[in-house]
Amino acid sequence: MSASEIDQLQNAVEEALVADRQRLGKYLSIETVSAQKKGIPETVAFVQQSFEELGAKVQVWRDIPGSNPFIFATLPAGATGNANKTLLFYNHYDVQPPEPLEEWHTEPFKLTEVDGKYVARGVSDDKGELMARLSAVKALQNAGGLPCNLKFVLEGEEEIGSVHIPQMTQKHAADLAANVVVWETGGKDADENFNITCGVKGIMSFELTVQTAAVDLHSSFAAYADNAAWRLTRALASLRGPDNQILVDGFYDDIRELTAPERSAIADLNFNEAKTRANFGITGPLVTDDPKTALTNATTMTINGLTSGYEGDGVKTVLPKFAKAKLDCRLVPDQRPERLAHLIQAQLDRNGFDDVHVNYLLGENPFRSDLTDPFVQATVATAHEVYGDQVKLVPNTPGTGPQAPFDEALHAPIVAFGANWSGSGAHAPNESVRIADYAQDVFYTARLLQNFGATDNK
């Protein structure tokens, strides 16, 4: 593109950001907390209207039993755009609960500007990113037209596990068909590198439960009776060693070997331990001496919570009859959550804990795009154009999302990028994005769409 065309797009982005500021605030003001079943109808109506104002054709899918509605919107390529190229955006319209409320410095559901940042629940994960993408669409429409066909699909259950995504992608595979997929969000790391992320870890969430008596006993009977809490903690300790290794036979068997491009990408990544410690307040030693590889390709087993006996104020000398632990494992290609749940139960049985039961809660498969795919490389090239040298290609995030069902239905590369920064605090109080990053993300999205539409490769 010529310098004048770049300037025209930049001006269109700036105008769109001003025009869309009120819409961003309204969207963030809706308390769309899927875990608490709040705000779903109001949010669906708002998002539908937002798309229609841009000229999109919108469908609200309510054909997956038990699911919150899916929103599907399409926009055709402009008169001079490439009608043979289609890009699908995935986003979600639900957010995390705002609690603990006392730790917020502003109202959680009121967009507030603080020290050059937008602050509100959902501004980084993931409502803000959708609004940024709609601003990019508006800017392109005002700067010559859309360079390709666009599709958007939004779900309202990402924050509670995306349990209905596999059914939706199977049922609507023909509607969703696209050359490439852009995932919900992303951003800059602690060293201010803009990250292009090409996959996600999988997850298995489960509970371990054990019961050792019909009722809670007087604690003096610990002289002869076992304690469910001790029983459970011994079982937990038998599953993971002090070196952070998981002691479950077969747990690591299915892990796919990293490719040469993946190993190269990991080696090129940065991990700023000092900033990471400062951002999260970490005081203890790290559990790995290679965080870059661990974040990308190490599987984990971690305890999310423990429940047993008396947990109120004061003293109650009981010997608990029951104990429960909630855990999750983050998985890497080609591990499968259901298989690992069976392996864990078998290991507990072998370790002498056949009374400790695995209750499988949910699972999502891992996914990683081919880093050599032309679209992946185009996202990186465009990022260098917008962000300069501070660009990193990341094989996958350490978090989880429902990318695998999209891959199974569409067989298209998936990349993620966005406006977050290392201190965005998604899921935490005072969630934020920096306003300059938000604007830069809108411009990058617009330029990527232009470059995508201008190429013939998929």
Side-chain angles (χ1 to χ4, degrees):
M1 292 185 71
S2 67
S4 62
E5 289 172 321
I6 293 290
D7 289 342
Q8 180 188 15
L9 178 62
Q10 184 65 63
N11 291 336
V13 165
E14 292 172 1
E15 290 171 1
L17 287 167
V18 173
D20 293 343
R21 170 63 171 76
Q22 185 178 19
R23 185 187 63 194
L24 173 63
K26 286 184 177 179
Y27 189 35
L28 293 167
S29 72
I30 307 173
E31 299 186 27
T32 323
V33 182
S34 53
Q36 300 170 351
K37 304 184 187 302
K38 289 183 177 179
I40 302 299
E42 302 94 316
T43 307
V44 170
F46 183 88
V47 172
Q48 181 174 358
Q49 180 183 354
S50 297
F51 276 114
E52 289 174 344
E53 288 173 352
L54 289 170
K57 180 180 178 181
V58 185
Q59 300 174 40
V60 178
W61 294 337
R62 295 184 171 91
D63 53 355
I64 307 299
S67 173
N68 288 337
F70 292 91
I71 304 167
F72 180 67
T74 58
L75 289 150
T80 60
N82 188 343
N84 296 317
K85 303 293 289 293
T86 301
L87 183 146
L88 171 68
F89 285 108
Y90 161 87
N91 289 89
H92 61 91
Y93 59 81
D94 62 324
V95 301
Q96 283 282 319
E99 288 81 4
L101 297 175
E102 67 275 8
E103 294 186 17
W104 282 84
H105 303 149
T106 61
E107 295 181 36
F109 292 100
K110 181 179 180 181
L111 178 60
T112 308
E113 296 186 20
V114 179
D115 297 329
K117 297 186 288 289
Y118 286 143
V119 180
R121 171 57 83 227
V123 72
S124 74
D125 182 23
D126 164 46
K127 286 184 171 183
E129 192 59 54
L130 174 66
M131 293 294 103
R133 289 169 179 178
L134 296 191
S135 292
V137 168
K138 178 181 287 186
L140 287 166
Q141 289 175 330
N142 294 332
L146 291 181
C148 61
N149 303 317
L150 296 181
K151 297 181 179 180
F152 288 80
V153 64
L154 281 79
E155 67 157 318
E157 298 179 323
E158 196 275 343
E159 300 294 5
I160 54 175
S162 299
V163 294
H164 294 101
I165 283 285
Q167 293 169 264
M168 184 276 290
T169 53
Q170 291 169 18
K171 186 167 187 176
H172 292 283
D175 296 308
L176 298 169
N179 302 104
V180 297
V181 180
V182 173
W183 207 245
E184 54 170 309
T185 192
K188 296 178 180 177
D189 61 25
D191 289 319
E192 300 297 329
N193 294 299
F194 182 70
N195 290 345
I196 303 293
T197 306
C198 299
V200 291
K201 284 187 176 180
I203 192 171
M204 177 184 62
S205 292
F206 62 106
E207 295 174 342
L208 297 185
T209 60
V210 63
Q211 186 157 346
T212 53
V215 296
D216 286 347
L217 283 68
H218 192 286
S219 66
S220 65
F221 298 152
Y224 64 79
D226 201 357
N227 177 318
W230 280 119
R231 183 75 178 156
L232 179 61
T233 55
R234 288 195 295 269
L236 289 166
S238 79
L239 296 177
R240 203 187 81 159
D243 58 355
N244 209 31
Q245 286 292 104
I246 297 168
L247 307 176
V248 175
D249 288 349
F251 198 90
Y252 298 104
D253 287 357
D254 298 328
I255 294 177
R256 184 197 310 168
E257 185 176 351
L258 290 167
T259 66
E262 289 166 352
R263 291 195 298 272
S264 177
I266 292 171
D268 191 48
L269 296 177
N270 296 330
F271 180 80
N272 190 319
E273 182 174 344
K275 286 188 178 180
T276 300
R277 286 182 175 279
N279 284 340
F280 298 117
I282 296 172
T283 56
L286 300 183
V287 297
T288 176
D289 57 3
D290 186 7
K292 295 191 298 184
T293 301
L295 284 167
T296 305
N297 205 51
T299 192
T300 66
M301 179 185 289
T302 195
I303 299 170
N304 305 136
L306 294 165
T307 301
S308 187
Y310 178 69
E311 299 175 273
D313 295 333
V315 174
K316 184 179 182 182
T317 54
V318 297
L319 190 157
K321 65 177 181 180
F322 176 81
K324 177 173 70 175
K326 287 185 177 290
L327 300 93
D328 75 55
C329 296
R330 300 289 171 160
L331 315 177
V332 299
D334 290 314
Q335 292 179 304
R336 292 294 178 261
E338 297 88 348
R339 166 173 155 75
L340 296 183
H342 290 299
L343 292 179
I344 292 169
Q345 184 66 72
Q347 188 67 46
L348 288 167
D349 295 349
R350 280 192 296 273
N351 292 348
F353 296 103
D354 56 352
D355 56 331
V356 178
H357 302 293
V358 174
N359 176 26
Y360 179 87
L361 299 176
L362 63 85
E364 291 185 57
N365 290 336
F367 171 76
R368 186 182 297 143
S369 293
D370 178 359
L371 301 192
T372 66
D373 182 90
F375 181 66
V376 173
Q377 294 301 310
T379 63
V380 175
T382 305
H384 281 296
E385 175 189 326
V386 176
Y387 294 93
D389 293 335
Q390 289 192 276
V391 176
K392 298 292 183 181
L393 179 62
V394 183
N396 58 266
T397 174
T400 299
Q403 291 188 3
F406 279 85
D407 171 65
E408 292 163 8
L410 307 182
H411 305 294
I414 302 173
V415 300
F417 56 81
N420 288 352
W421 63 297
S422 62
S424 279
H427 295 200
N430 308 301
E431 179 181 348
S432 70
V433 297
R434 296 179 299 201
I435 297 172
D437 290 339
Y438 186 88
Q440 197 173 24
D441 176 49
V442 174
F443 182 74
Y444 171 74
T445 302
R447 281 295 295 129
L448 179 63
L449 294 177
Q450 288 180 329
N451 287 339
F452 173 66
T455 58
D456 292 328
N457 58 342
K458 291 186 178 182

